[in-house]
């Protein structure tokens, strides 16, 4: 049996003694004040410890926020640097991809070859062909062009279950789904800042690229614009000024059929993108938000798609007669700042309402007693009078959300027998009525 260590025994006795003395002092009535001070001292230290821990927690949160902010800023800067690097191409010009929508037309070959033939270079204008419908002959046609185009394929080929009365509109649902997917791909995955949208039944004008590139700075600079279109809905022979290929307008009507939009607009629209009829939806006041598009006097696109989801609607009566500009214009050498709203509106109102008001019959009979170069104005006051005027002038008479085709501030401009005619509301026009349709 081992002997206990005398030193350890002495320390144990001393410790027990100290505990007993402390307890006695705290419990003794004579030392209540000392006990109070002792308890207060412990509580004060506990409070101080709690405050210290809380401060350390707050400091840790602040430090985490700083670190997280640095991390996010680094990611953002990396993203920006990546975008800026992609957007820098030859000679400092912007990169504007062409997004060509294809489905089941092997004639997609025609727009692809025109795009390849007319584009100034591949660096500034990459071509993305977005294929839907899983149509093998169309896919084979696209793949012939190899790395001259980037092929992407809409993966969702599921069918839509629609009520019997809506089954005829199934194609419009699939088109909207395809558009939504491809625009997400272009702006969010491929990280472009703008895009020119065409379809597999459009041919393009020789100055197609110059037109859009020159107008991108205007679109980006003017928040009252939301698109640039290559299409004039009233662009038939006899309705356009053929001797002025460079003439451009602002329009409250979304034309489509070859158009350019920005990433910012897509970020605005993507969360509420419709299930069908996307083009009419984008014309609604909630989306348009009093913004306009730029359009040409002579179209820079022409459709050859007689057969499609609309079953040839409008094609035989209207679309096939739209003139395509054949005379190239170097838009990049022109000052287009007149299209900015602050510049445009003053001159536009002066031009329209400074033109002599004449009777419609005077125009149609060719009896305007003015030089042929002087424009005239024909006034409409309601939807019926507009449709009557439109019919006699051979312009489109329909409205979308209250806006007539090509209209700006309610005014539709066209040529008739070689004279410029403004079909205009009264000068005190109060704005569009969405009930006009």
């Amino acid at each position: 049996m081992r002997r206990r260590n005398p030193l350890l025994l002495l320390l144990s006795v001393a410790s027990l003694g100290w505990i007993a003395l402390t307890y006695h002092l705290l419990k003794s009535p004579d030392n209540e004040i000392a006990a109070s001070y002792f308890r207060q001292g412990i509580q004060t230290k506990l409070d101080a410890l709690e405050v210290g821990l809380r401060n350390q927690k707050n400091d840790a949160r602040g430090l985490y926020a700083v670190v997280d902010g640095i991390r996010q800023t680094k990611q953002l800067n990396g993203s920006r640097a990546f975008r800026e690097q992609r957007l820098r191409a030859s000679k400092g010009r912007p990169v504007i991809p062409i997004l060509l929508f294809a489905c089941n037309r092997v004639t997609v070959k025609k727009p692809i070859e025109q795009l390849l033939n007319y584009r100034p270079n591949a660096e500034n204008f990459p071509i993305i062909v977005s294929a839907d419908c899983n149509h093998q002959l169309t896919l084979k046609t696209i793949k012939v062009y190899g790395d001259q185009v980037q092929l992407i394929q809409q993966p969702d080929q599921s069918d839509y279950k629609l009520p019997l009365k809506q089954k005829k509109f199934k194609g419009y649902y699939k088109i909207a789904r395809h558009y939504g997917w491809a625009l997400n791909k272009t702006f969010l995955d491929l990280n472009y800042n703008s895009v020119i949208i065409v379809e597999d039944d459009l041919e393009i004008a020789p100055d197609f690229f110059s037109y859009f590139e020159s107008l991108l700075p205007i679109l980006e600079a003017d928040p009252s614009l939301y698109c640039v279109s290559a299409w004039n809905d009233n662009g038939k022979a006899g309705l356009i000024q053929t001797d002025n290929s460079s003439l451009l307008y602002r329009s409250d009507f979304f034309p489509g059929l070859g158009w350019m939009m920005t990433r910012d607009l897509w970020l605005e629209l993507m969360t509420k993108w419709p299930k069908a009829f996307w083009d009419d939806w984008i014309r609604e006041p909630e989306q348009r938000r009093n913004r306009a598009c730029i359009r040409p006097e002579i179209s820079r696109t022409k459709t050859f798609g007689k057969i499609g989801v609309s079953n040839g609607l409008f094609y035989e009566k209207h679309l096939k007669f739209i003139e395509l500009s054949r005379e190239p214009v170097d838009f990049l050498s022109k000052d287009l700042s007149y299209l900015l709203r602050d510049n445009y509106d003053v001159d536009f109102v002066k031009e329209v309402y400074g033109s002599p008001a004449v009777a419609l019959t005077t125009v149609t009979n060719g009896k305007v007693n003015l030089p042929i170069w002087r424009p005239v104005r024909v006034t409409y006051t309601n939807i019926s009078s507009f449709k009557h005027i439109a019919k006699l002038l051979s312009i489109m008479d329909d409205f979308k959300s209250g806006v007539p085709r090509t209209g700006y501030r309610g005014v539709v401009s066209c040529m008739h027998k070689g004279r410029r005619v403004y079909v205009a509301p009264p000068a005190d026009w109060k704005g569009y009525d969405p009930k006009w349709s």
Side-chain angles (χ1 to χ4, degrees):
M1 183 176 177
R2 291 185 303 173
R3 298 178 59 188
R4 294 182 182 274
N5 189 323
L7 181 59
L8 181 61
L9 182 62
L10 180 62
L11 290 174
S12 299
V13 172
S15 298
L16 289 174
W18 173 254
I19 292 171
L21 178 61
T22 301
Y23 177 78
H24 173 73
L25 289 172
L26 292 177
K27 295 298 291 181
S28 172
D30 295 335
N31 292 290
E32 185 62 34
I33 296 176
S36 174
Y37 278 120
F38 186 83
R39 287 193 298 269
Q40 288 177 14
I42 293 177
Q43 187 62 46
T44 299
K45 290 180 180 180
L46 289 174
D47 290 343
L49 180 61
E50 182 180 0
V51 171
L53 290 172
R54 189 183 300 117
N55 289 339
Q56 288 182 12
K57 185 177 180 180
N58 291 337
D59 290 343
R61 285 177 176 172
L63 182 60
Y64 175 79
V66 171
V67 172
D68 189 55
I70 293 172
R71 177 180 58 80
Q72 291 183 15
T73 301
K74 185 177 180 181
Q75 289 178 349
L76 181 60
N77 288 338
S79 167
R80 284 174 178 163
F82 174 73
R83 274 207 307 274
E84 289 169 3
Q85 184 177 5
R86 290 197 60 162
L87 295 177
R88 274 192 229 105
S90 62
K91 299 179 182 178
R93 292 160 62 181
V95 174
I96 314 174
I98 315 300
L99 178 60
L100 195 165
F101 284 88
C103 178
N104 57 0
R105 289 190 178 102
V106 294
T107 52
V108 68
K109 177 180 179 180
K110 185 173 185 177
I112 290 177
E113 290 192 347
Q114 284 189 331
L115 288 167
L116 291 172
N117 184 41
Y118 290 145
R119 71 176 177 178
N121 60 71
E123 292 78 16
N124 293 99
F125 299 99
I127 298 171
I128 305 165
V129 182
S130 183
D132 198 4
C133 311
N134 200 27
H135 190 257
Q136 294 305 308
L137 286 177
T138 301
L139 289 171
K140 184 178 179 181
T141 302
I142 298 168
K143 290 176 181 178
V144 166
Y145 296 95
D147 60 5
Q148 294 183 88
V149 303
Q150 179 181 0
L151 173 63
I152 59 176
Q153 292 181 252
Q154 201 281 109
D156 186 358
Q157 296 299 310
S158 61
D159 204 7
Y160 280 95
K161 296 181 179 180
L162 300 173
L164 183 61
K165 291 183 178 180
Q166 292 187 326
K167 282 190 175 181
K168 61 183 178 181
F169 300 129
K170 186 181 294 185
Y172 294 100
Y173 281 80
K174 291 184 177 182
I175 289 172
R177 178 174 66 189
H178 187 191
Y179 261 76
W181 177 84
L183 288 170
N184 268 335
K185 184 76 174 177
T186 301
F187 286 120
L188 304 186
D189 293 349
L190 300 179
N191 230 2
Y192 288 109
N193 279 348
S194 59
V195 69
I196 300 169
I197 297 166
V198 294
E199 297 183 4
D200 54 5
D201 61 348
L202 288 180
E203 58 178 307
I204 65 172
D207 58 3
F208 177 89
F209 291 94
S210 172
Y211 173 78
F212 280 108
E213 184 179 359
S214 66
L215 288 168
L216 178 59
I218 303 295
L219 177 62
E220 292 177 329
D222 190 344
S224 70
L225 292 170
Y226 74 136
C227 88
V228 173
S229 174
W231 181 258
N232 177 4
D233 278 290
N234 288 317
K236 300 178 185 178
L239 297 178
I240 53 177
Q241 187 177 341
T242 55
D243 63 350
N244 191 353
S245 298
S246 63
L247 190 57
L248 307 179
Y249 297 89
R250 292 174 66 100
S251 173
D252 294 322
F253 189 88
F254 170 73
L257 290 174
W259 59 289
M260 179 168 62
M261 69 182 297
T262 64
R263 174 190 180 93
D264 287 342
L265 180 64
W266 179 243
L267 294 178
E268 174 189 325
L269 299 179
M270 60 180 285
T271 57
K272 53 178 181 175
W273 190 249
K275 292 184 177 180
F277 306 105
W278 69 266
D279 48 350
D280 283 342
W281 173 84
I282 211 171
R283 294 170 177 137
E284 294 174 356
E286 293 78 11
Q287 282 67 249
R288 190 173 71 82
R289 292 170 52 195
N290 294 318
R291 292 175 293 191
C293 295
I294 295 173
R295 61 132 182 126
E297 173 80 355
I298 308 176
S299 291
R300 263 58 187 187
T301 56
K302 181 178 177 65
T303 179
F304 56 86
K306 180 178 179 180
I307 304 301
V309 294
S310 62
N311 296 317
L313 182 65
F314 290 142
Y315 185 82
E316 286 297 331
K317 293 182 178 180
H318 179 68
L319 295 177
K320 76 176 185 179
F321 299 108
I322 299 295
E323 292 287 310
L324 181 68
S325 178
R326 303 294 182 183
E327 181 183 343
V329 174
D330 181 11
F331 285 104
L332 288 168
S333 68
K334 293 185 174 295
D335 180 3
L336 302 178
S337 61
Y338 71 91
L339 291 163
L340 297 169
R341 184 173 62 181
D342 290 346
N343 300 331
Y344 189 90
D345 282 12
V346 174
D347 291 337
F348 180 79
V349 171
K350 182 189 295 185
E351 165 75 7
V352 172
Y353 292 98
S355 299
V358 299
L360 175 62
T361 53
T362 304
V363 175
T364 55
N365 293 335
K367 294 183 178 180
V368 178
N369 190 24
L370 291 168
I372 195 67
W373 53 266
R374 284 290 303 276
V376 295
R377 172 168 45 95
V378 176
T379 302
Y380 70 91
T381 55
N382 52 47
I383 188 171
S384 298
S385 62
F386 179 90
K387 287 180 175 290
H388 175 67
I389 295 168
K391 182 178 180 180
L392 293 181
L393 294 180
S394 299
I395 60 176
M396 298 289 283
D397 68 350
D398 62 328
F399 293 77
K400 300 291 185 180
S401 296
V403 184
R405 291 181 186 268
T406 76
Y408 187 67
R409 297 176 64 97
V411 179
V412 172
S413 171
C414 68
M415 300 296 290
H416 185 79
K417 296 182 178 179
R419 185 187 302 277
R420 176 70 58 186
V421 178
Y422 296 113
V423 182
D428 62 348
W429 179 70
K430 299 298 190 297
Y432 296 108
D433 184 349
K435 295 191 293 295
W436 286 23
S437 61

